[in-house]
Amino acid sequence: MAGIFISYRRDDSQGFAGRLADDLTEILGSDLVFRDVEIPVGHDFSLILNRAIAACDVLLVVIGRDWQTTSHNGARSRLFEPTDWVRAEIKAAFEQGKRIIPILVGGAKMSTATELPADISQLSKIQAFEMSDRRWDEDIENLVQLLQREVPELASSVSSRHGPADSPAQVLRELGHRVLDEVRQQRTPQATSRRTAHRRWLRPVMAIGGFLRKLATTVFVIAMVYIGFRLFGDAAVLEQLDRLEARLLVGWDRLLGYLNIQ
């Protein structure tokens, strides 16, 4: 499944980037849009950024008027700082051969090659996509069409998103409803014996136990297949596994962040 990573500078275009992410998420789905990668203290930021970029196929670089804002010492743009996250994201995308689309917002202009560090100067040669408040909805539609042309997998993702596929949460919810229905059906208007009550509650417990056994078996089979691919797969298979692992790790980090916020 394809993915989109939104790169932006918070003190430059956070509002535009948030609006862009919300609209793309509504159209393409939350699993396909990534932004705000939080890097825990004590971790290698370049490693985590490379992992996040690896999980995506397209990097959208949101550029506002202050995107090239000067560093703290006021000497030159923050892009020239080795630890600048925006620069690191773009550099990682170039190194991994990802599609890169500059998004100009707020009347910003595209930077020239001389205004950029050498390792990301190629960004100035890429045709930028302009977005404005006056025609935002139209721009979003055109951007989605552009992304679908660049990454055909996104078109199929939109179709499947509107399909009848069940998510894990839906499966668990359905299981809960079935358990409650079973309990209601077993209830009678008259008092029953202790043995009958025990059997009544035992059935949903057994149903849950059966579901957990099937789940454990499925996980075991997937693990064995994965180990087999890791041991005997060729370079292409191993590369696909690395991409899958990167996307799963990014999704897990986003889930933990969501749970912490809640």
Side-chain angles (χ1 to χ4, degrees):
M1 182 177 292
I4 300 171
F5 188 100
I6 300 178
S7 170
Y8 67 99
R9 195 177 297 285
R10 293 192 179 186
D11 51 7
D12 167 55
S13 55
Q14 183 172 3
F16 285 106
R19 185 178 179 185
L20 175 63
D22 291 340
D23 289 343
L24 290 179
T25 296
E26 183 179 355
I27 298 173
L28 301 175
S30 59
D31 294 337
L32 302 183
V33 182
F34 300 84
R35 69 184 180 103
D36 283 341
V37 176
E38 297 294 341
I39 301 180
V41 176
H43 289 69
D44 186 344
F45 85 98
S46 60
L47 176 63
I48 295 181
L49 284 179
N50 283 327
R51 180 185 299 166
I53 298 297
C56 300
D57 293 274
V58 181
L59 178 74
L60 301 183
V61 183
V62 182
I63 300 176
R65 294 181 179 178
D66 297 325
W67 186 70
Q68 287 185 276
T69 182
T70 57
S71 60
H72 297 296
N73 56 24
R76 54 182 179 176
S77 171
R78 286 168 56 183
L79 290 170
F80 288 88
E81 297 179 357
T83 57
D84 183 55
W85 287 15
V86 173
R87 174 183 177 179
E89 291 166 355
I90 299 172
K91 179 182 177 182
F94 275 126
E95 292 176 346
Q96 297 180 32
K98 305 296 182 178
R99 294 175 177 83
I100 301 177
I101 302 177
I103 306 293
L104 302 180
V105 296
K109 301 298 181 181
M110 193 63 197
S111 304
T112 63
T114 57
E115 294 174 325
L116 300 173
D119 51 9
I120 64 170
S121 61
Q122 186 180 351
L123 182 69
S124 64
K125 302 178 181 179
I126 301 177
Q127 181 65 36
F129 186 91
E130 296 185 23
M131 302 188 69
S132 68
D133 286 327
R134 291 179 297 177
R135 59 175 191 275
W136 185 268
D137 292 339
E138 180 183 352
D139 289 340
I140 284 292
E141 293 181 3
N142 293 334
L143 178 60
V144 171
Q145 293 176 3
L146 172 63
L147 291 172
Q148 291 174 343
R149 289 196 301 270
E150 293 290 327
V151 186
E153 294 86 347
L154 289 175
S156 59
S157 298
V158 173
S159 300
S160 62
R161 181 170 177 263
H162 296 286
D166 292 335
S167 66
Q170 291 172 323
V171 174
L172 292 176
R173 191 181 300 112
E174 182 180 353
L175 177 62
H177 289 324
R178 289 182 179 180
V179 172
L180 292 176
D181 290 341
E182 181 70 20
V183 172
R184 293 191 186 100
Q185 292 175 5
Q186 294 298 322
R187 289 179 178 175
T188 61
Q190 299 178 353
T192 58
S193 64
R194 180 176 300 178
R195 175 179 296 180
T196 303
H198 175 73
R199 291 178 179 176
R200 181 191 308 161
W201 288 102
L202 184 61
R203 290 180 182 178
V205 173
M206 293 178 62
I208 295 176
F211 170 79
L212 293 177
R213 286 196 298 270
K214 292 180 180 179
L215 179 61
T217 302
T218 302
V219 172
F220 177 77
V221 172
I222 293 175
M224 292 298 99
V225 172
Y226 173 81
I227 293 174
F229 279 134
R230 274 295 182 188
L231 292 177
F232 306 105
D234 56 17
V237 172
L238 295 178
E239 182 180 357
Q240 291 298 322
L241 290 177
D242 290 339
R243 288 169 58 86
L244 176 61
E245 288 180 5
R247 292 177 180 176
L248 291 175
L249 288 172
V250 171
W252 177 252
D253 291 338
R254 292 181 61 194
L255 176 60
L256 291 180
Y258 174 79
L259 294 176
N260 289 334
I261 292 176
Q262 298 300 319

